């Protein structure tokens, strides 16, 4: 395995094209769940977990069911490997979103059974994640960038890590902000966006990093 | 409930972007130029109207327990239709919007309207609601992308605004500019509302 | 139990109806999308290998994938114009793909950017066309340079980089130099 390309993907996903600050994915939880540090950490962990799982699941679905390759399981079972493999890639949006929704539900049930402690800390965030565009976003990016399986998993995990980094930094700032005097019209979301802008500005400094 | 009121509520009082703060990801990501903004707005408008109408049509046949997966499937279908049609007929727009077309499916406005409105009202009102909300979203997109394109590139829809002597504020086109624009617009709106309500209480 | 069966039936029905309608839309739009992509590719090839419209363009495969194209002035594969290939490199926010035409000596004939999703107003200026001109000014400066050794001005080369978009400029320039080396090596082996 090429460690160098994995390192490039990781640094890219965490710093250079950070999911929140550069790609603008997952803004709803970023603004919504960043008021307290504890809940930000919880949400971050849940997102890392789901994004990694979703990368695994959607990569397998795409390459073994949808893409027109000889590996396609439907092609091998139904057509016995004869003729041209079917191109079902147009079903990818609908397939991915259903897989992600099912996956989140499944993960929730498993965690609830196996580890009530973990469930108490992650559980409430899991249902929120289905409509988090970061999860579908990372699945689609993995396909668009033509990542291999390992690269997809690494990209999923590190993108989640980048999301968590931005979220936790934001929560830390907003906890301090409680004590600051903010103009009345800036209360709540507006000041959060301005801070996000400043953070995004700082993260721009990472662009051009090279290995 | 009058159709006119239902239509214009999305423009200001229940504006999806500034008031309900729904669907912010595509707003910030694709407002780099007015062209992209209008494209994204129109795509969302189409999906919103179609899914509202279909969901309202079959609302009595959907069992409450499994309504969400069914809504998602219907929405995803229309999103894919937009995706394919755009790739065939507007390839350049399709290229610059990238994965954000597919991501319309997780735009909270659409599922939100399906759940809160289309599944409870008849087809006519669902259509009006989808149209109003979609137009409200498109107008917000045009507003934000206009600010960013004019300041950041000195152009509006590709036409020069300030003449060749203008040195563009590149920051507005880059990602921080999106955050600053929406933050300042929201704060302006909240200041404006604060003034209006204090006027009302004074009288 | 009865409920579960009913739910399963309704969900299956919805899935069947939605994917069926998508299959229909796909069958209508797909030919158009492929035709458009092919036409774009052909147009770009004719653009970078000028004079090949009346001749023939031959694809050279390796392991089932097209590595580069050979363009001839005559339909019976006489008068080689040069080679064309797609160079791709990681830009600021996207993988940039450039169609490059080089003559057999490795001098660039013309280039055309096929795909980029760079920052509007910065990186996208690599495709900017100035008033009263028909060719993007940034791409024109590649014409006639030695493809294997091109560099942007910040790296001591002759290619003027786009203001505020050095990463984009460098990505395109380096991807062209790299791919040219690969392609010219292959053509040398073939000719010998």
């Amino acid at each position: 395995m090429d460690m160098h390309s994995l390192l490039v993907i990781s640094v890219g996903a965490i710093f250079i094209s950070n999911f929140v600050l550069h790609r603008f994915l997952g803004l709803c939880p970023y603004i919504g769940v960043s008021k307290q540090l504890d809940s930000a950490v919880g949400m971050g962990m849940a997102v890392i977990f789901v994004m990694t799982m979703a990368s695994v699941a959607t990569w397998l679905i795409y390459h073994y069911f949808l893409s027109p390759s000889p590996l396609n399981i439907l092609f091998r079972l139904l057509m016995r490997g004869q003729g041209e493999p079917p191109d079902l890639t147009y079903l990818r949006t609908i397939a991915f979103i259903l897989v992600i929704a099912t996956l989140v539900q499944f993960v929730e049930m498993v965690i609830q059974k196996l580890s009530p402690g973990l469930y108490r800390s992650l559980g409430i965030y899991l249902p929120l994640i289905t409509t988090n565009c970061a999860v579908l976003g990372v699945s689609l990016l993995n396909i668009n960038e033509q990542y291999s399986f390992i690269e997809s998993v690494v990209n999923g995990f590190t993108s989640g890590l980048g999301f968590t980094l931005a979220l936790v930094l934001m929560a830390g700032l907003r906890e301090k902000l409680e004590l600051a005097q903010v103009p009345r019209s800036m209360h709540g979301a507006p000041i959060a966006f301005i801070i996000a802008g400043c953070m995004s500005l700082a993260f721009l400094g990472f662009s051009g990093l090279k290995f | 409930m009058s159709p006119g009121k239902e239509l214009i509520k999305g423009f200001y009082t229940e504006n999806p972007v500034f008031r309900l703060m729904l669907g912010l990801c595509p707003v910030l990501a694709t407002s780099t130029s007015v062209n992209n903004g209008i494209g994204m707005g129109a795509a969302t408008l189409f999906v919103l109207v179609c899914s509202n109408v279909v969901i309202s049509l079959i609302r009595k046949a959907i069992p409450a327990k499994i309504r969400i997966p069914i809504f998602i499937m219907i929405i995803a279908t229309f999103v894919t239709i937009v995706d394919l049609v755009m790739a065939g007929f507007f390839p350049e727009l399709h290229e610059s919007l990238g994965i954000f077309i597919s991501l319309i499916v997780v735009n909270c406005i659409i599922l939100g309207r399906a759940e809160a409105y289309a599944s409870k009202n008849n087809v006519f009102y669902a259509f009006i609601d989808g149209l109003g909300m979609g137009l409200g979203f498109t107008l917000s997109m045009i507003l934000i992308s206009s600010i960013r394109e004019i300041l950041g590139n000195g152009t509006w829809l590709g036409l020069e605004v300030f003449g060749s002597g203008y040195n563009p504020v590149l920051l507005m086109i880059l990602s921080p500019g999106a955050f600053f624009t929406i933050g300042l617009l929201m704060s302006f709106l909240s200041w404006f509302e604060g003034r209006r309500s204090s006027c009302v209480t004074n009288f | 139990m009865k409920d579960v069966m009913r739910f399963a039936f309704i969900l299956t029905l919805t899935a069947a109806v939605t994917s069926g309608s998508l299959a229909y839309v796909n069958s209508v739009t797909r030919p158009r999308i492929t035709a458009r992509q092919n036409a774009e590719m052909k147009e770009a090839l004719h653009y970078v290998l000028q004079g090949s419209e009346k001749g023939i363009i031959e694809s050279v495969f390796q392991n089932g994938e097209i590595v580069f194209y050979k363009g001839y002035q005559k339909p019976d594969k006489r008068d080689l114009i040069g080679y064309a290939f797609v160079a791709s490199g990681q830009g600021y926010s996207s993988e940039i793909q450039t169609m490059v035409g080089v003559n057999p000596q490795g001098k660039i004939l013309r280039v055309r950017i096929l795909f980029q999703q760079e920052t509007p107003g910065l990186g996208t200026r690599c495709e900017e066309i100035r008033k009263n001109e028909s060719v993007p000014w940034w791409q024109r400066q590649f014409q006639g340079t030695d493809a294997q050794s091109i560099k942007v001005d910040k790296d001591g080369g002759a290619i003027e980089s786009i203001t505020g978009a050095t990463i984009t400029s460098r990505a395109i320039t380096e991807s062209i130099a790299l791919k040219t080396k690969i392609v010219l090596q292959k053509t040398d082996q073939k000719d010998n």
Side-chain angles (χ1 to χ4, degrees):
Chain A
M1 197 64 235
D2 185 4
M3 285 309 284
H4 182 257
S5 76
L6 294 185
L7 184 71
V8 170
I9 291 175
S10 311
V11 174
I14 299 175
F15 297 112
I16 303 171
S17 27
N18 184 286
F19 248 57
V20 184
L21 301 171
H22 181 82
R23 292 196 197 274
F24 301 111
L25 293 169
L27 283 172
C28 296
Y30 181 64
I31 300 295
V33 201
S34 62
K35 289 199 183 96
Q36 277 156 359
L37 203 53
D38 294 348
S39 49
V41 173
M43 181 74 186
M45 294 303 137
V47 168
I48 293 179
F49 189 63
V50 172
M51 272 170 93
T52 315
M53 297 290 287
S55 295
V56 172
T58 52
W59 193 92
L60 292 174
I61 294 276
Y62 185 83
H63 287 271
Y64 287 101
F65 286 97
L66 301 178
S67 80
S69 76
L71 291 173
N72 195 318
I73 289 177
L74 293 176
F75 170 61
R76 283 201 283 190
L77 284 183
L78 298 178
M79 300 162 73
R80 305 198 174 280
Q82 302 296 311
E84 284 285 300
D87 184 357
L88 296 176
T89 45
Y90 62 92
L91 287 177
R92 92 189 159 167
T93 311
I94 195 165
F96 283 9
I97 187 74
L98 286 178
V99 166
I100 290 168
T102 320
L103 183 78
V104 171
Q105 200 96 102
F106 182 70
V107 166
E108 197 180 344
M109 287 191 315
V110 169
I111 294 184
Q112 198 172 7
K113 280 265 153 54
L114 293 182
S115 162
L118 189 64
Y119 181 72
R120 268 196 297 279
S121 56
L122 289 190
I124 48 167
Y125 303 108
L126 285 171
L128 291 175
I129 292 176
T130 313
T131 53
N132 181 343
C133 46
V135 182
L136 184 60
V138 80
S139 311
L140 293 170
L141 281 174
N142 286 339
I143 303 302
N144 278 2
E145 303 276 329
Q146 300 176 343
Y147 284 151
S148 70
F149 182 69
I150 303 287
E151 285 172 335
S152 295
V153 177
V154 169
N155 188 37
F157 179 75
T158 49
S159 296
L161 217 57
F163 174 85
T164 309
L165 175 71
L167 186 68
V168 168
L169 285 175
M170 183 68 163
L173 286 171
R174 280 182 87 171
E175 277 194 347
K176 288 268 183 290
L177 209 65
E178 292 287 305
L179 307 169
Q181 282 196 320
V182 177
R184 185 141 45 107
S185 68
M186 281 276 187
H187 271 295
I191 192 73
F193 278 113
I194 302 290
I195 294 176
C198 297
M199 279 171 65
S200 160
L201 198 57
F203 270 67
L204 268 189
F206 288 117
S207 64
L209 270 186
K210 248 192 162 182
F211 295 93
Chain B
M1 210 159 66
S2 79
K5 248 187 193 162
E6 292 298 294
L7 183 67
I8 58 163
K9 71 180 177 205
F11 290 24
Y12 185 75
T13 47
E14 286 184 41
N15 184 289
V17 177
F18 293 109
R19 285 310 179 76
L20 310 178
M21 299 226 305
L22 294 174
L24 288 173
C25 305
V27 171
L28 296 189
T30 59
S31 59
T32 44
S33 73
V34 180
N35 217 344
N36 287 355
I38 293 175
M40 191 67 201
T44 312
L45 176 76
F46 172 80
V47 175
L48 194 52
V49 170
C50 292
S51 67
N52 257 13
V53 167
V54 170
I55 286 166
S56 171
L57 270 176
I58 59 166
R59 69 185 187 278
K60 291 194 177 114
I62 307 176
K65 274 189 184 161
I66 52 167
R67 65 183 194 286
I68 300 291
I70 290 182
F71 290 171
I72 290 180
M73 275 195 258
I74 292 170
I75 295 169
T77 308
F78 286 114
V79 170
T80 312
I81 291 176
V82 168
D83 195 14
L84 291 171
V85 169
M86 215 182 247
F89 294 88
F90 305 101
E92 275 160 24
L93 191 63
H94 186 263
E95 240 173 52
S96 62
L97 293 180
I99 62 163
F100 280 91
I101 303 168
S102 300
L103 287 175
I104 296 176
V105 80
V106 281
N107 188 326
C108 335
I109 304 172
I110 294 165
L111 193 59
R113 291 329 282 178
E115 172 82 356
Y117 201 95
S119 59
K120 297 191 182 83
N121 290 285
N122 68 29
V123 179
F124 176 67
Y125 277 105
F127 172 76
I128 296 283
D129 177 75
L131 193 64
M133 282 291 167
L135 285 175
F137 179 80
T138 311
L139 286 178
S140 319
M141 285 294 308
I142 294 176
L143 175 68
I144 296 172
S145 56
S146 299
I147 294 176
R148 290 183 67 190
E149 194 185 327
I150 291 174
L151 291 178
N153 202 23
T155 57
W156 192 79
L157 261 179
L159 304 168
E160 268 190 31
V161 176
F162 294 120
S164 55
Y166 177 70
N167 202 358
V169 190
L170 290 173
L171 184 72
M172 295 304 282
I173 294 269
L174 297 173
S175 30
F179 287 111
F180 290 140
T181 312
I182 195 152
L184 291 174
L185 278 174
M186 276 182 176
S187 130
F188 173 74
L189 210 67
S190 123
W191 169 80
F192 181 71
E193 279 297 302
R195 264 179 67 119
R196 211 168 67 158
S197 59
S198 66
C199 286
V200 173
T201 45
N202 283 347
F203 280 110
Chain C
M1 199 56 213
K2 215 182 140 198
D3 254 6
V4 174
M5 294 299 285
R6 197 166 66 98
F7 288 169
F9 175 71
I10 293 176
L11 282 175
T12 320
L13 189 71
T14 324
V17 171
T18 50
S19 39
S21 48
L22 282 184
Y24 173 72
V25 175
N26 182 57
S27 69
V28 174
T29 50
R30 182 63 55 189
R32 204 189 153 84
I33 297 172
T34 2
R36 207 207 68 236
Q37 284 167 343
N38 289 344
E40 224 168 67
M41 200 67 177
K42 207 169 164 189
E43 211 269 317
L45 276 170
H46 285 156
Y47 172 79
V48 297
L49 293 176
Q50 240 193 336
S52 61
E53 300 90 347
K54 295 199 182 80
I56 190 170
I57 290 174
E58 180 194 12
S59 314
V60 180
F61 290 88
Q62 191 178 33
N63 304 329
E65 280 177 45
I66 296 177
V67 189
F68 64 95
Y69 305 87
K70 279 172 155 178
Y72 299 93
Q73 275 178 356
K74 302 277 159 55
D76 53 0
K77 295 194 187 172
R78 276 187 296 125
D79 299 344
L80 181 69
I81 303 167
Y83 313 107
F85 49 87
V86 179
S88 64
Q90 182 61 42
Y92 180 68
S93 55
S94 62
E95 179 101 7
I96 308 170
Q97 293 177 349
T98 318
M99 175 69 86
V100 188
V102 294
N103 69 9
Q105 289 76 43
K107 289 254 191 293
I108 293 184
L109 298 165
R110 281 174 166 185
V111 301
R112 157 146 330 156
I113 288 166
L114 296 175
F115 176 84
Q116 52 91 5
Q117 276 178 342
E118 299 295 290
T119 322
L122 292 174
T124 51
R125 288 183 60 208
C126 63
E127 289 191 291
E128 182 186 65
I129 298 174
R130 282 190 181 141
K131 257 181 214 162
N132 308 325
E133 289 183 356
S134 58
V135 182
W137 61 273
W138 191 76
Q139 295 174 32
R140 206 177 38 206
Q141 53 177 332
F142 284 91
Q143 292 174 16
T145 53
D146 181 37
Q148 295 183 70
S149 63
I150 44 168
K151 279 180 185 147
V152 291
D153 47 8
K154 297 223 167 135
D155 299 335
I159 303 292
E160 182 197 339
S161 45
I162 303 160
T163 321
T166 313
I167 297 176
T168 307
S169 318
R170 194 180 275 149
I172 299 172
T173 313
E174 283 179 357
S175 72
I176 293 176
L178 192 72
K179 186 74 190 261
T180 310
K181 274 182 201 140
I182 297 171
V183 168
L184 287 183
Q185 253 171 20
K186 290 225 165 75
T187 55
D188 283 349
Q189 285 165 8
K190 285 248 165 74
D191 292 345
N192 289 341

